[in-house]
Amino acid sequence: RSKNIFLKSEYPQKIKDNIFLMGFFFLPSIPPLGFLLLLITLILSIFSKPYFNFEDKWNIPIFLSIGIIIFNTIYVSLINKPDELINLPISIIWLNLFNWIPFLLGFKWFQEYLNTHEKRCIFAKFFVSGTIPVLFSCIMQYLFKWEGSKELFNGLIVWFLKPVKVAGGISGLFSNTNYTGLWLVTTFPLILFLIQNNHQKGQNNKKFLLTLIALLIVFFILQTNSRNALLGLILSLNIILGIKTILFLLLAIIIFSFFLNYFSLSITNFEPLKIIIPETLMSKLNNIKIDLYSPRILIWSIAISLILSKPFFGWGSGTFSFLYQNENSVNPPLLKISATHSHNLFFELSHNFGLPLSLLLSSTFLLLLFNSFRNINKYRSINKNFLINKYWLASTSVMIFCHFSDITFYDGRISLLFCILLSGTRCILKDCEEKKIREINNYHKTN
């Protein structure tokens, strides 16, 4: 009886909500504490409702996906282990399931903490606040050349900052510039929501501070030298501002470029632009080549070859790097290209667990995103929550589509953020579905 009171009463629910928010706040800067708090909230949510509600149709593909992942893992590791994996310990395949099963469980059970407009607004505030330590580490790395291990508060917090030359750009608290870039570019839509929300409330001091943080976020997105993050920034601006505004900006950039050329100036030699856009990123953009021998295409070709050889059950989680190295031994063009994953989430799921699983999950989440966008626009005129929902879906879109050209999922902080954004997206669609039901009921009452 006391257990039920603890889990279901209003006051403990607020405690659970606060633990969830604090867990996410600490996630980027103190990952062990963040993981622990979020794990506690996930367990509490599962214990309070320890079943899949199949009346919610979105739970069905999640339940099926977990079953397929476990069955396929048993099949490839215990029943019919491929000869190519004879020297790979089975434990690696099973341990790598921790990248996927908690993600799917979190999608279902984190909804408890995001199921209202107010909860999503508060989460946006904690998300931005938790990103401030990331920005601080980027500033210290950029201005004061911080690198290596840094201890704060007498060793209570330990940050390791990879040298810029090794990382290829500003990475801050993350081990890879692409991770940093994706975290920041996913934060960007939600800080724009907070700016607009404070503008509507006339809170100019908060608006100014948030605008400053937003500018820092954009600056360090560029300083990561991550093309994937730049793509995400363009995508989020397109969703938030609309295609007409983006076309206007592109036209302005083209006119600006012609202006420079008219005066015999080079974009890469334009000093103000160098401060904003690093030369390394400019060089990467200028040297983009899509041909059969580009690194990404070569990696994808190997991934597709592996997928087609085992399309139904896959090779097992965490096996791509091992098999890729074997391919390297017989494909000399690949020898100088390292790859720990397939650089595409659809290919990664297909390689690990088979095409059926990959098609099921990809179509589920893309359809969820599409339906959410369609519904928030449909009820825009009567939906006071439109603003947070639109910016939330912009962040979710960036997270999804950036994973089709790279995989940052294997950083636990990124996968948890991915999971939470999708969980909140389901809550947004549920709100729209409830509005539709109320609309139908009101129609019947008036007729």
Side-chain angles (χ1 to χ4, degrees):
R1 183 178 177 182
S2 60
K3 180 179 178 181
N4 289 337
I5 292 174
F6 175 77
L7 290 174
K8 296 182 179 180
S9 64
E10 181 181 357
Y11 179 67
Q13 181 60 50
K14 291 181 179 178
I15 294 177
K16 290 162 65 179
D17 289 341
N18 289 334
I19 294 173
F20 173 77
L21 293 169
M22 291 308 298
F24 195 83
F25 173 81
F26 288 119
L27 185 63
S29 55
I30 316 178
L33 179 58
F35 287 134
L36 176 62
L37 294 176
L38 289 172
L39 178 62
I40 290 171
T41 57
L42 179 61
I43 292 172
L44 288 174
S45 184
I46 292 174
F47 280 174
S48 64
K49 295 180 181 178
Y51 54 86
F52 273 90
N53 176 18
F54 294 121
E55 292 181 2
D56 181 353
K57 63 182 180 181
W58 296 99
N59 286 337
I60 297 173
I62 302 304
F63 180 79
L64 290 174
S65 296
I66 293 173
I68 292 171
I69 287 173
I70 294 173
F71 177 81
N72 286 6
T73 301
I74 293 172
Y75 181 80
V76 300
S77 63
L78 301 176
I79 298 174
N80 188 20
K81 186 177 181 181
D83 294 336
E84 293 88 342
L85 299 178
I86 196 69
N87 294 321
L88 183 73
I90 293 176
S91 59
I92 290 178
I93 297 175
W94 282 93
L95 286 173
N96 271 276
L97 292 187
F98 284 100
N99 290 312
W100 306 101
I101 301 296
F103 171 82
L104 296 174
L105 294 176
F107 168 77
K108 196 268 185 211
W109 273 285
F110 278 144
Q111 292 176 31
E112 174 183 346
Y113 308 106
L114 302 163
N115 56 9
T116 67
H117 159 256
E118 290 76 15
K119 287 182 179 181
R120 292 191 291 275
C121 289
I122 294 171
F123 176 85
K125 295 177 183 178
F126 275 78
F127 187 3
V128 171
S129 299
T131 300
I132 290 175
V134 178
L135 288 174
F136 174 76
S137 68
C138 291
I139 292 170
M140 300 306 288
Q141 193 176 33
Y142 181 79
L143 293 179
F144 301 102
K145 312 304 177 186
W146 268 23
E147 61 180 51
S149 179
K150 299 295 178 183
E151 294 187 1
L152 303 176
F153 306 114
N154 294 321
L156 180 64
I157 302 173
V158 180
W159 292 345
F160 184 84
L161 285 79
K162 186 176 287 187
V164 173
K165 290 183 178 179
V166 176
I170 298 296
S171 59
L173 297 179
F174 291 86
S175 61
N176 186 291
T177 56
N178 288 330
Y179 299 166
T180 311
L182 184 59
W183 185 276
L184 293 177
V185 80
T186 311
T187 312
F188 183 64
L190 293 180
I191 196 170
L192 291 185
F193 157 71
L194 294 178
I195 291 170
Q196 193 166 345
N197 192 43
N198 281 282
H199 174 73
Q200 292 177 350
K201 294 178 179 178
Q203 297 176 335
N204 293 326
N205 291 336
K206 290 183 180 180
K207 179 186 171 183
F208 174 78
L209 178 60
L210 289 168
T211 302
L212 178 61
I213 295 173
L215 291 174
L216 284 172
I217 287 173
V218 173
F219 178 75
F220 282 113
I221 286 171
L222 299 175
Q223 292 299 320
T224 61
N225 294 324
S226 170
R227 288 172 295 187
N228 213 37
L230 181 60
L231 175 66
L233 181 61
I234 294 170
L235 174 63
S236 64
L237 287 172
N238 184 33
I239 294 171
I240 293 166
L241 301 177
I243 189 65
K244 291 182 180 179
T245 305
I246 294 298
L247 290 175
F248 174 79
L249 291 174
L250 287 175
L251 180 62
I253 291 170
I254 292 171
I255 294 172
F256 180 65
S257 300
F258 276 120
F259 172 80
L260 291 177
N261 289 330
Y262 181 79
F263 288 99
S264 300
L265 295 171
S266 169
I267 291 178
T268 55
N269 293 326
F270 187 58
E271 292 301 327
L273 200 61
K274 280 185 177 181
I275 297 173
I276 301 172
I277 303 179
E279 289 186 37
T280 304
L281 181 56
M282 291 291 289
S283 177
K284 283 184 176 182
L285 295 174
N286 289 331
N287 294 325
I288 291 178
K289 293 180 180 179
I290 301 177
D291 56 47
L292 294 177
Y293 294 101
S294 64
R296 193 60 50 91
I297 298 299
L298 285 169
I299 293 170
W300 284 349
S301 66
I302 291 297
I304 292 171
S305 175
L306 291 168
I307 291 165
L308 293 177
S309 64
K310 289 192 177 296
F312 296 108
F313 298 103
W315 290 88
S317 185
T319 60
F320 181 84
S321 177
F322 180 82
L323 292 167
Y324 179 83
Q325 294 302 320
N326 289 343
E327 287 288 337
N328 265 348
S329 64
V330 294
N331 288 276
L334 297 176
L335 286 174
K336 295 182 180 179
I337 303 171
S338 62
T340 56
H341 51 70
S342 61
H343 289 272
N344 179 289
L345 191 56
F346 179 83
F347 290 161
E348 192 76 4
L349 286 167
S350 301
H351 170 271
N352 288 348
F353 309 112
L355 277 167
L357 181 280
S358 187
L359 288 168
L360 177 62
L361 273 184
S362 298
S363 59
T364 296
F365 291 135
L366 288 174
L367 188 61
L368 173 66
L369 185 64
F370 173 78
N371 284 348
S372 299
F373 268 117
R374 186 182 63 180
N375 278 275
I376 67 166
N377 285 309
K378 181 178 179 181
Y379 296 102
R380 178 174 183 171
S381 60
I382 60 171
N383 190 355
K384 65 177 182 179
N385 307 332
F386 174 77
L387 197 62
I388 178 61
N389 292 344
K390 178 183 176 181
Y391 286 78
W392 187 285
L393 294 181
S395 289
T396 307
S397 300
V398 168
M399 180 64 77
I400 289 176
F401 286 102
C402 281
H403 272 84
F404 283 98
S405 56
D406 191 20
I407 296 178
T408 54
F409 185 86
Y410 289 124
D411 184 291
R413 292 167 289 187
I414 297 292
S415 62
L416 269 171
L417 173 58
F418 198 168
C419 163
I420 288 169
L421 288 174
L422 284 171
S423 187
T425 300
R426 172 64 190 113
C427 293
I428 290 171
L429 183 57
K430 191 179 293 184
D431 286 348
C432 294
E433 290 168 346
E434 290 173 355
K435 284 183 175 64
K436 183 178 180 180
I437 293 171
R438 287 197 297 269
E439 193 178 74
I440 293 172
N441 290 336
N442 290 335
Y443 174 80
H444 287 304
K445 286 179 181 178
T446 56
N447 291 277

